[in-house]
Amino acid sequence: GDSVTQMEGPVTLSEEAFLTINCTYTATGYPSLFWYVQYPGEGLQLLLKATKADDKGSNKGFEATYRKETTSFHLEKGSVQVSDSAVYFCALAVTSGSRLTFGEGTQLTVNP
Amino acid sequence: ETGVTQTPRHLVMGMTNKKSLKCEQHLGHNAMYWYKQSAKKPLELMFVYSLEERVENNSVPSRFSPECPNSSHLFLHLHTLQPEDSALYLCASSPRDRASTGELFFGEGSRLTVL
């Protein structure tokens, strides 16, 4: 079945550090890939997405590239801020209405 | 503002109480979902409704009873819950057509504490 494996957390960084959160997937077919973010006390918000191989999703300084050859969708940001502290979820969906499969989430804490 | 509104945001109830969680979406979607998020556990999909018909029930105990009266509203009725049911309950919606990429739109969640 479909699955998503995320880098284990928690991850703690200093402000302005470079961030990578690894995500790999297993899927039948050609999934769409997503990163969701959950800020403290809130629900999940879509951060970025990519719907086909080699697409790059980007938003708020975060980027992730859909790599079919390595079945990966790693999240990166060049300079993190304290306000980026949150839990980040990688997810996939095979198109035609199938449900989303989530990774376990990675807690990020950014210290000033 | 995601277009998906959940009420109440916080709920404390005893094990013998009956309460309901409400979700409303203003996005014109025709599929709605309940997820449970517990500390240090992956998101658990509980129920899926498509066009107001329940299409998925992932072995959820009968003390949780969903209701979808129309495509914009989703309820989760709670009765005789256990302390281990304390969690954040998330509602989500999505379009269910061939143009959909599978993206879900989440509400902010209802934080439930069972005493």
Side-chain angles (χ1 to χ4, degrees), chain A residues 22-101:
Chain A
N22 290 338
C23 172
T24 57
Y25 67 89
T26 303
T28 53
Y30 301 95
S32 295
L33 301 174
F34 306 85
W35 277 101
Y36 280 83
V37 59
Q38 184 177 32
Y39 297 104
E42 298 184 12
L44 277 69
Q45 304 173 26
L46 180 67
L47 180 60
L48 53 84
K49 66 181 180 183
T51 58
K52 61 183 188 294
D54 299 325
D55 270 1
K56 178 186 283 188
S58 61
N59 186 27
K60 298 181 181 180
F62 291 89
E63 293 183 338
T65 301
Y66 189 137
R67 301 284 188 202
K68 185 182 172 187
E69 64 276 14
T70 54
T71 62
S72 65
F73 193 55
H74 304 321
L75 183 68
E76 297 182 337
K77 186 174 185 181
S79 176
V80 292
Q81 306 300 311
V82 172
S83 57
D84 294 326
S85 298
V87 181
Y88 292 82
F89 293 89
C90 186
L92 69 82
V94 178
T95 54
S96 301
S98 65
R99 64 182 176 87
L100 219 57
T101 299

Side-chain angles (χ1 to χ4, degrees), chain B residues 93-111:
Chain B
S93 70
S94 72
R96 296 276 283 195
D97 54 39
R98 278 180 284 180
S100 169
T101 59
E103 179 182 349
L104 292 180
F105 296 76
F106 283 87
E108 295 193 328
S110 294
R111 172 70 63 186

Side-chain angles (χ1 to χ4, degrees), chain B residues 47-61:
Chain B
F47 301 104
V48 180
Y49 276 81
S50 178
L51 297 171
E52 301 150 42
E53 180 181 340
R54 190 189 310 178
V55 297
E56 193 161 341
N57 175 348
N58 286 338
S59 303
V60 180

